[in-house]
Amino acid sequence: MGNMIELNQIKNFINGEWVAPSDCETVPLINPSTAEIIGEVPMSTPEISNQAVEAAARAFPGWCATPLPRRMNYIFKIYHAMQENLEELAQAIALDQAKHISEARGEVSRVIEIVQMACSTPTLMQGETIQGIAPNINGRVIKAPLGVFCGVAPFNFPALVFGWFIPVAIATGNTFVYKPSSESPLFMQKMMQLLVDIGLPSGVVNVVHGDREVVEAWYENEHVVGVCLVGSTPTARAIAEGCGRNGKKTMLLGGAKNFLVAMEDAPMDLLIENILMSGYGSAGQRCLAVSNIAVVPEIHDEFVERLLEASRKITLGDARDPDIFMGPVISAQAKAKVEEYIRVGVEAGATLALDGRNPALPDANRDGYFIGPTVFTDVTPCMRIAKEEIFGPVLSVIKVGCINTALKMISDHDMGNGACIFTQNSYYTEKFINEADVGMVGVNVGICAPHPYLPFGGIKDSLVGNNKVQGKDSVDFFTQNKTATVRIVNPKETDATNKPVDASVRSCVAS
Ligand code: NAD
């Protein structure tokens, strides 16, 4: 079988050149739908990582001096290139990350919208002025690029995270070094070729594959001004420490454990449909996957029955097959971890109402890393399955007396990425929006991703630091405010040294 597959040689891209992994180890790239090896990925050394940073640092002066409309031309070209190559980009994600092909298309489409948002950078990065802060003195704020930013992606959103970091970072005039996940590098391999094809100048975007060594090299590299990550919370904390010690900016989105609250007036069909998409989409490997479902007693039993009935109908198979619903999880280790959580849930006394271990599969996918829909009922908030991020298609149903109990559970949880409520009652709706202790709230929509014009990010342990992605927040992160105080001097006026100085002028120069 193996010799029939065309192997993908993943390469670094540094200073405008594809670089084959001649002086570093490689790891196999695996198709999780079949467990077949489909390529190899360089595990780049710190030296290679630093070479990419140097290339980005050399490119920075020319790139930030490039007139803004010319920089924006490249962003518009990225937008068109992605539209023209949407299918190829989506197929890459469906192959190595094994995201279902329709969801992979959805991910690329969302990135196209993010690039559209990045096209508004010239408006979003306009500074401010204030006239007449003293006689003949004006104040001004300019938003300037900073230099070389670096970014790290998780395995589960190879396109989205490219979209969150790179278009705005380079539109604002910075240059970039990007490390995709070694488990899903194919999207960036294809995307980088598109950036080459549109003529993006050498060194503006560089790609280095590998693991933490690539990232750790950035902490003490004097050219790196900031590091962004989307990944698990322990990784976000490790990067915060390394960057904090060395005075680098950070934007660090971490892990999640999301609650859905179903009230007595929840529209049941909509509720079930949204849970299937949100809980089993990407096989539960989403930072916005629903995981804990808090249900009031009035509808609990009917809800569980409907959920089980719908979950049993979910079909599993190759992520590139449009006729199946759900693909595998990313790796054998990920599968073992989810199975361990199922065991832990049973041991804690939760009822395993639907067991997704050893699901029915097409013959070609027998070796893939599959877990079917799994539903626990009788879950309590202190059980590990309700507290920890499982990152698989496992749902925990928790019976709650009222909205206050559900809100308290959400508040008490360490994570705070997203939460949503299903109700038709405006009192519940407003209360939930105001009181749910999370960064992103949904009403009658599965845990939903805010539109690219709005900030995306959690709170509590789901965000390390305070910087979020998308919209104006991204532009603010990738620029620095420089404040200028400007006195207008009339060259025809005589020497003013002996004139009495206005008190407001003194205050401008004294502090
Ligand atoms: P991960 O934290 O294991 O890895 C993320 C990236 O960091 C990878 O590129 C990896 O090579 C690198 N890395 C790992 N350890 C590192 C270290 N010590 N120092 C520096 N870099 C390191 O995460 P993952 O398993 O690839 O992705 C899943 C996680 O990402 C989940 O926790 C999920 O919730 C989270 N996630 C969050 C969001 C969000 O918006 N908050 C979005 C997607 C994924």
Side-chain angles (χ1 to χ4, degrees), residues 10-12 41-43 151-155 158 161 177-189 206-211 214-215 218:
I10 305 296
K11 292 180 182 162
N12 292 331
V41 189
M43 289 285 108
V152 193
F155 77 81
V161 174
V177 178
Y178 187 62
K179 190 197 88 60
S181 166
S182 54
E183 290 175 309
S184 54
L186 274 178
F187 166 84
M188 199 56 210
Q189 184 90 354
N206 306 271
V207 181
V208 182
H209 294 277
D211 206 349
V214 171
V215 181
W218 298 335

Side-chain angles (χ1 to χ4, degrees), residues 151-157 160-161 164 179-184 210-216 219 229-236 238-239 252-257 285-288 330 337 389 391 415 417 440 456-458 462-463 469:
V152 193
F155 77 81
N156 67 327
F157 275 108
L160 187 66
V161 174
W164 276 344
K179 190 197 88 60
S181 166
S182 54
E183 290 175 309
S184 54
D211 206 349
R212 55 191 289 177
E213 296 72 22
V214 171
V215 181
E216 286 163 355
Y219 303 153
L229 163 89
V230 177
S232 62
T233 300
T235 304
I239 294 179
L252 306 167
L253 278 70
K257 184 80 180 175
Q285 304 168 111
R286 279 191 194 150
C287 67
L288 287 179
I330 187 71
K337 182 181 151 202
E389 186 176 33
F391 231 49
M415 302 281 191
N417 214 36
M440 295 173 277
F456 184 115
S462 295
L463 186 77
V469 292

Side-chain angles (χ1 to χ4, degrees), residues 274-332:
N274 274 264
I275 290 176
L276 298 187
M277 293 306 297
S278 184
Y280 304 143
S282 296
Q285 304 168 111
R286 279 191 194 150
C287 67
L288 287 179
V290 58
S291 183
N292 290 337
I293 306 174
V295 190
V296 292
E298 292 89 328
I299 58 162
H300 177 273
D301 293 353
E302 181 199 353
F303 167 76
V304 169
E305 196 179 309
R306 290 278 307 270
L307 177 63
L308 291 175
E309 185 193 350
S311 300
R312 285 193 190 99
K313 291 186 186 147
I314 298 283
T315 49
L316 278 78
D318 198 297
R320 288 174 297 167
D321 178 352
D323 295 330
I324 60 104
F325 187 94
M326 197 167 97
V329 295
I330 187 71
S331 63

Side-chain angles (χ1 to χ4, degrees), residues 390-413:
I390 300 175
F391 231 49
V394 180
L395 298 174
S396 293
V397 181
I398 307 173
K399 200 188 267 188
V400 290
C402 64
I403 189 169
N404 289 326
T405 319
L407 283 165
K408 176 147 184 4
M409 264 178 215
I410 295 171
S411 288
D412 288 347
H413 203 284

Side-chain angles (χ1 to χ4, degrees), residues 5-156:
I5 298 169
E6 192 194 334
L7 285 186
N8 294 278
Q9 297 293 339
I10 305 296
K11 292 180 182 162
N12 292 331
F13 188 83
I14 299 175
N15 200 27
E17 307 275 345
W18 289 106
V19 189
S22 59
D23 47 1
C24 66
E25 307 276 303
T26 60
V27 292
L29 179 63
I30 291 173
N31 174 359
S33 294
T34 58
E36 287 167 321
I37 293 177
I38 53 168
E40 53 179 26
V41 189
M43 289 285 108
S44 303
T45 58
E47 291 71 34
I48 298 173
S49 180
N50 282 326
Q51 283 164 19
V53 172
E54 275 153 33
R58 281 196 302 277
F60 175 66
W63 180 246
C64 77
T66 302
L68 185 54
R70 291 237 312 268
R71 286 207 305 264
M72 295 315 299
N73 276 342
Y74 291 106
I75 310 299
F76 282 103
K77 285 183 186 167
I78 294 174
Y79 174 80
H80 291 298
M82 289 193 76
Q83 277 193 322
E84 281 157 23
N85 294 276
L86 191 155
E87 186 58 23
E88 196 192 343
L89 294 168
Q91 289 290 348
I93 298 171
L95 179 60
D96 67 359
Q97 196 232 304
K99 182 173 280 169
H100 186 270
I101 183 61
S102 65
E103 291 174 56
R105 289 180 188 128
E107 182 179 347
V108 178
S109 302
R110 172 45 69 100
V111 178
I112 292 171
E113 289 177 351
I114 296 174
V115 178
Q116 213 174 41
M117 181 280 288
C119 292
S120 61
T121 298
T123 307
L124 294 175
M125 77 179 290
Q126 283 174 20
E128 302 162 40
T129 60
I130 180 161
Q131 300 286 101
I133 48 177
N136 293 327
I137 297 187
N138 299 325
R140 190 188 306 163
V141 176
I142 56 171
K143 287 187 172 292
L146 289 108
V148 179
F149 276 92
C150 299
V152 193
F155 77 81
N156 67 327

